[in-house]
Amino acid sequence: MSEIKPRFKSVDGLSVRYAESDGPREADALLLSPWPESLFAFDAAWSRLAGHAHLVAVDLPGFGHSELRADLLSPRAMGEFVVRIADELGLARPHLVGPDIGTSAALFAAAGHPGRFRSVTVGSGGASVPLNLGGVLDDWVRAEDLAPYRALGAKDVVKLAMSTIEGYELPEVVREDYLAAYRGQRFADQMPYVRAYPAELPILGGLLAGIETPVQIIAGRNDPVVPPANAEYLHERLPHSRLDFLDTGHFAWEEDAAGYARAITAWWQANAPVPAA
């Protein structure tokens, strides 16, 4: 059984699914779900991370099991909503963890709200300019016609993604949650988020040098979907950054959950709250 117990909360009128770990800690951490998965993506690393911070994982609006709103389906708009989620959940200055699609949203949030987050961890998400994406993700971003994707069963897309997870067998509860999150046209409805990359990643690129929040970048060394050059691009431009490569493919948080959690918790300790005098 998973330690993750989801519930729902209304944020700006949207039903947002989240889960939190038991017990208070000195620090909070807000975890953003990757695509096409859900907050259960953190299942394999959950207990390791929960020993170091109070965790709150969320399905971003329109993804996982959270309600979709079309105006939030871009990295910049989602970044603003991430701050709103943190406000609604009472997270005063959490660490922010945003792999995959959360990468650009988390960095927009940090750029627009200096000091709002204690630290940021990103990676495995499109970032570089010009675009440097591989496999189906590049096709999804550049496709001129979405009709074929609307005709494709959403569960087929999720099954394809799950089949590329290397060296880790998804627990049944996690697999079923992923499949249940992407019914009907939901996958095609989410595609505007990554299709906003050509317009919004250059804007983000211009903001990187001004981000004072410490940023950790974790990426799979063998990621065929988001090549390592994206992580290197961020590391070169962010003034307070650390780059950690894991020997994984795209789904680093599941393919090497222990290494992923170890890198993050070391980062959290390096950016721990200062004890009160």
Side-chain angles (χ1 to χ4, degrees):
M1 289 291 292
S2 175
E3 296 179 54
I4 296 176
K5 308 300 179 186
R7 64 191 80 170
F8 290 85
K9 184 178 183 65
S10 178
V11 180
D12 280 356
L14 283 179
S15 177
V16 173
R17 190 174 74 153
Y18 74 103
E20 59 184 319
S21 60
D22 295 330
R25 297 282 178 183
E26 289 186 359
D28 297 313
L30 178 59
L31 317 180
L32 310 179
S33 61
W35 185 51
E37 298 186 326
S38 74
L39 55 80
F40 274 91
F42 300 106
D43 180 70
W46 189 261
S47 61
R48 295 179 175 95
L49 297 176
H52 297 266
H54 165 239
L55 308 179
V56 180
V58 299
D59 284 341
L60 290 170
F63 299 91
H65 291 263
S66 289
E67 188 177 358
L68 183 148
R69 199 172 77 200
D71 66 302
L72 294 177
L73 291 179
S74 74
R76 185 159 48 167
M78 192 68 80
E80 287 300 311
F81 200 83
V82 166
V83 176
R84 185 73 180 119
I85 289 172
D87 292 343
E88 283 290 324
L89 293 173
L91 304 177
R93 195 164 176 253
H95 298 289
L96 180 60
V97 178
D100 192 68
I101 58 167
T103 292
S104 48
L107 292 173
F108 268 119
H113 300 267
R116 182 64 181 84
F117 299 100
R118 188 169 302 280
S119 77
V120 173
T121 297
V122 296
S124 302
S128 66
V129 179
L131 288 180
N132 186 346
L133 305 173
V136 294
L137 180 58
D138 190 59
D139 295 338
W140 296 344
V141 171
R142 301 180 189 276
E144 295 182 5
D145 182 9
L146 294 185
Y149 297 99
R150 295 199 176 278
L152 185 66
K155 286 189 175 183
D156 293 335
V157 176
V158 179
K159 287 178 181 177
L160 175 63
M162 290 190 296
S163 72
T164 67
I165 298 174
E166 301 176 358
Y168 176 68
E169 183 68 28
L170 290 175
E172 192 60 25
V173 64
V174 176
R175 178 180 295 275
E176 289 304 315
D177 190 79
Y178 290 174
L179 291 172
Y182 296 92
R183 292 176 173 153
Q185 296 291 308
R186 194 158 166 86
F187 174 76
D189 290 341
Q190 295 160 343
M191 288 181 67
Y193 185 94
V194 294
R195 291 169 66 77
Y197 283 0
E200 294 205 347
L201 291 185
I203 298 171
L204 178 61
L207 299 173
L208 295 176
I211 295 177
E212 292 297 319
T213 304
V215 179
Q216 177 186 38
I217 307 128
I218 304 178
R221 200 183 307 276
N222 307 309
D223 189 341
V225 177
V226 181
N230 287 270
E232 293 163 349
Y233 172 92
L234 291 175
H235 185 47
E236 290 168 0
R237 289 162 177 78
L238 288 162
H240 307 290
S241 67
R242 173 185 172 88
L243 174 57
D244 291 296
F245 278 120
L246 300 179
D247 289 324
T248 69
H250 179 69
F251 298 92
W253 47 91
E254 289 167 319
E255 295 175 21
D256 184 7
Y260 190 77
R262 188 163 50 247
I264 290 178
T265 54
W267 175 250
W268 288 349
Q269 289 168 357
N271 293 278
V274 178

